Amino acid sequence: SQQGEEDPQALSIQEGENATMNCSYKTSINNLQWYRQNSGRGLVHLILIRSNEREKHSGRLRVTLDTSKKSSSLLITASRAADTASYFCATDLIQGAQKLVFGQGTRLTINP
Amino acid sequence: NAGVTQTPKFQVLKTGQSMTLQCAQDMNHNSMYWYRQDPGMGLRLIYYSASEGTTDKGEVPNGYNVSRLNKREFSLRLESAAPSQTSVYFCASSRVYSNQPQHFGDGTRLSIL
C-alpha cells in the first residue's frame, strides 16, 4: 500500500486564493518532499523538509511537518493559473529498499 | 544544462517485443532510478542504482532489467513486453541515495498492444 496519502485528490480554486494540500504517512521518515507535475511532464522538486524541521518556506510555498501525527501540508498562497498541476508528496523512509515513496497526488486547478 | 534526458518520448510495441529505454543525466549524480506512473497513481519504483556499478530492485521489478552503463547512463529493458507494462516511465537521478531531491526526465510514454 502507498506510504503517502494526499488529501484532497482534486482541488479547484479561484486565482488569488490559497490552496492547501495534505499528506499522511505511516512509517518513520528521514524527510518528506513535495513535487509538482505539469501535464505531460516529469516531476519537479519543490521542497524537502527534514524530520527534525516543523516548517519550511520557499517563495509562495509553505510546508509543515508534524511527525507525531505523521502528516504534512503544502500551502500555496496567492495562487496563479500557472500553479495548475498535480502535486505529490514523497516520503524518504528510514528503512526499506524503496527509499522514496510517492503518494497518489492532488490535482490542483486554478480558475482564472 | 539538459538535466535528465530520456529517449524515446513515445513508443508503441506489440506484445512480446523487446525494447530498451535510455536515460542520461549530466549533473554528475551518483544515484539513478526508474519509475512507472499509471493513471491516477503515484510513481512506483522499478529499479534503482544507488551508485555506479550497483543496481537493486524496487517495488515492481518483474518483467524489467536495468543496466548502469556508466555514471551518466541508466537503461531499462523490457525483454518481452506485456499489455500490463503500458505506462509512462520516468527516469530520475539524485546526488546521493538518501536525503536528496530527485531530478526527473520528461518520461517515455509506452503502449503495448
Side-chain angles (χ1 to χ4, degrees):
Chain A
S1 64
Q2 293 286 351
Q3 157 79 339
E5 298 285 342
E6 284 101 338
D7 173 60
Q9 292 188 354
L11 179 62
S12 181
I13 61 174
Q14 295 300 120
E15 195 167 20
E17 295 180 338
N18 295 341
T20 300
M21 289 158 271
N22 302 296
C23 173
S24 60
Y25 58 93
K26 298 175 182 176
T27 60
S28 298
I29 60 172
N30 287 315
N31 65 68
L32 186 144
Q33 303 179 30
W34 285 91
Y35 289 80
R36 183 188 73 234
Q37 184 180 34
N38 291 93
S39 181
R41 303 298 301 272
L43 277 71
V44 174
H45 179 261
L46 297 175
I47 288 185
L48 183 154
I49 185 166
R50 303 193 188 283
S51 60
N52 61 353
E53 298 176 311
R54 292 297 168 259
E55 187 170 314
K56 206 162 184 179
H57 296 255
S58 176
R60 294 184 296 111
L61 306 181
R62 181 174 77 102
V63 168
T64 62
L65 179 64
D66 187 335
T67 54
S68 67
K69 295 182 179 178
K70 291 186 169 57
S71 67
S72 174
S73 67
L74 170 67
L75 169 67
I76 303 174
T77 60
S79 62
R80 305 168 182 170
D83 295 328
T84 294
S86 292
Y87 292 81
F88 294 89
C89 70
T91 47
D92 188 332
L93 304 182
I94 290 177
Q95 295 181 341
Q98 188 168 345
K99 291 286 288 184
L100 199 61
V101 180
F102 287 83
Q104 295 182 359
T106 293
R107 175 68 189 170
L108 175 64
T109 302
I110 308 300
N111 301 304
Chain B
N1 191 345
V4 178
T5 302
Q6 293 184 235
T7 56
K9 295 188 185 304
F10 303 93
Q11 185 70 48
V12 179
L13 294 178
K14 295 181 180 179
T15 298
Q17 287 186 317
S18 63
M19 80 161 295
T20 300
L21 281 63
Q22 306 288 352
C23 174
Q25 52 91 9
D26 62 3
M27 295 172 283
N28 200 34
H29 285 171
N30 289 294
S31 303
M32 298 185 73
Y33 315 82
W34 277 105
Y35 294 90
R36 61 177 289 174
Q37 184 178 35
D38 298 300
M41 298 184 68
L43 276 69
R44 291 184 292 170
L45 184 65
I46 304 171
Y47 271 93
Y48 65 97
S49 171
S51 60
E52 186 179 359
T54 69
T55 60
D56 286 286
K57 296 178 180 179
E59 181 186 2
V60 288
N62 291 345
Y64 305 95
N65 285 300
V66 290
S67 295
R68 183 75 182 266
L69 305 171
N70 48 55
K71 191 172 185 179
R72 290 186 64 247
E73 298 172 287
F74 188 38
S75 63
L76 178 72
R77 183 162 179 82
L78 287 70
E79 291 291 350
S80 180
S84 62
Q85 293 178 305
T86 293
S87 188
V88 183
Y89 291 85
F90 288 98
C91 177
S93 69
S94 61
R95 190 172 62 82
V96 293
Y97 182 45
S98 184
N99 272 320
Q100 293 291 319
Q102 293 185 10
H103 300 258
F104 285 79
D106 278 339
T108 294
R109 284 144 187 83
L110 181 61
S111 293
I112 316 292
L113 305 178

